[in-house]
Amino acid sequence: MADRKILVVEDHKDTRELLKYNLTHNGFEVAAESDGASGLERAKTFQPDLILLDLMLPGMDGLDVCRRVKQSSELSHIPVIMLTAKGEEIDRIVGLELGADDYVVKPFSPRELILRIKAIMRRSADKPSKTPNVWERDGLSIDFEAHQLTVDGEPAMLTATEFKLLTELVTGRGKVQTRDHLLDTVWDTHFEGYSRTVDTHVRRLRQKLGPYAEWVETVRGVGYRFRA
């Protein structure tokens, strides 16, 4: 895990320094910014392996930063952990629906946070198992190593989470994937009561699949299945 890069975007100086200290002592290279606009620009130049993003930031807030990261072709692959004092359910749901990979509520345990960071980085580095490098059918092509979806010859821009979801559905095609299973495998954790974030990501994935959207079938009351 040494030399992996983390960008901290946090406006509270003491929290920012605490994060920098703990991350550095765990072998990470750390860059830090105190506002959203600066954090977004630093992400482009620093190209971190993960972003720790506070929600309540001056100017551009954390949700807006997350949205722009996940819409950017050069940044969308970077995992994001939302770090905030706001613990209400709606804030967690919004963060996850924007593409955040995890959500940690302050006050937090630095040890637990480090474990979550390592789990997300490990998951991001994993290659899809028991799959070919490229899967193709009709006008749909998925390059698992390049993390690239092509629809009728045109590349479709997926966030890292959307691509993980697509990979899970395609590699398990023909089988029903429950929402709980998808939360556990795609997000690498279980968000109690947040199954609606799976529905949101599936809806966005279908939009990007275009004419092949119907290949992701809804199994009412259970979950989803990619047509075999």
Side-chain angles (χ1 to χ4, degrees), residues 13 18 68 77 93 97:
K13 183 179 179 181
L18 174 67
R68 297 189 186 204
H77 66 284
I93 291 172
E97 291 184 349

Side-chain angles (χ1 to χ4, degrees), residues 81-92:
I81 295 181
M82 302 294 293
L83 187 64
T84 174
K86 299 186 69 175
E88 291 82 358
E89 179 179 342
I90 187 62
D91 297 306
R92 301 188 188 198

Side-chain angles (χ1 to χ4, degrees), residues 97-99 162 200-208:
E97 291 184 349
L98 286 175
E162 289 167 350
T200 298
H201 279 78
V202 168
R203 184 172 66 250
R204 292 180 179 176
L205 180 59
R206 281 172 169 159
Q207 291 173 351
K208 295 178 181 181

Side-chain angles (χ1 to χ4, degrees), residues 6-228:
I6 294 182
L7 172 62
V8 175
V9 187
E10 164 66 60
D11 65 326
H12 191 272
K13 183 179 179 181
D14 290 344
T15 303
R16 192 166 62 247
E17 292 303 315
L18 174 67
L19 289 168
K20 287 172 63 177
Y21 174 83
N22 281 279
L23 291 168
T24 300
H25 279 261
N26 277 273
F28 296 103
E29 180 182 349
V30 183
E33 296 293 341
S34 59
D35 64 85
S38 298
L40 189 60
E41 288 304 310
R42 190 65 174 275
K44 296 175 183 177
T45 57
F46 187 57
Q47 285 293 310
D49 296 289
L50 183 141
I51 299 173
L52 276 179
L53 181 62
D54 187 28
L55 181 60
M56 303 300 291
L57 293 168
M60 185 189 303
D61 67 21
L63 291 176
D64 197 15
V65 174
C66 184
R67 182 184 297 108
R68 297 189 186 204
V69 165
K70 294 305 179 180
Q71 290 175 346
S72 167
S73 59
E74 60 180 320
L75 302 176
S76 63
H77 66 284
I78 302 174
V80 174
I81 295 181
M82 302 294 293
L83 187 64
T84 174
K86 299 186 69 175
E88 291 82 358
E89 179 179 342
I90 187 62
D91 297 306
R92 301 188 188 198
I93 291 172
V94 170
L96 292 170
E97 291 184 349
L98 286 175
D101 294 76
D102 205 346
Y103 195 107
V104 179
V105 179
K106 301 175 185 176
F108 58 87
S109 160
R111 177 180 172 81
E112 179 186 356
L113 180 60
I114 294 296
L115 289 175
R116 291 194 183 204
I117 289 171
K118 290 182 177 180
I120 289 174
M121 285 188 166
R122 186 166 55 248
R123 185 182 74 222
S124 298
D126 285 345
K127 302 290 184 183
S129 59
K130 299 181 181 179
T131 62
N133 292 337
V134 177
W135 181 88
E136 294 180 320
R137 192 167 84 195
D138 294 350
L140 211 59
S141 176
I142 305 169
D143 187 326
F144 293 105
E145 289 193 352
H147 282 219
Q148 178 64 60
L149 167 67
T150 304
V151 180
D152 290 335
E154 295 295 326
M157 187 184 301
L158 300 186
T159 67
T161 302
E162 289 167 350
F163 193 85
K164 292 169 196 167
L165 176 60
L166 177 62
T167 298
E168 188 67 25
L169 290 169
V170 171
T171 56
R173 55 191 176 276
K175 299 179 181 179
V176 177
Q177 311 266 15
T178 68
R179 290 175 176 83
D180 285 346
H181 170 76
L182 291 170
L183 280 170
D184 288 338
T185 54
V186 176
W187 283 264
D188 201 31
T189 189
H190 184 75
F191 295 93
E192 190 68 31
Y194 299 145
S195 60
R196 79 184 77 177
T197 197
V198 176
D199 299 335
T200 298
H201 279 78
V202 168
R203 184 172 66 250
R204 292 180 179 176
L205 180 59
R206 281 172 169 159
Q207 291 173 351
K208 295 178 181 181
L209 288 171
Y212 309 100
E214 63 182 19
W215 289 7
V216 179
E217 301 174 328
T218 299
V219 181
R220 191 174 300 277
V222 182
Y224 298 94
R225 174 177 54 213
F226 196 89
R227 185 180 299 170

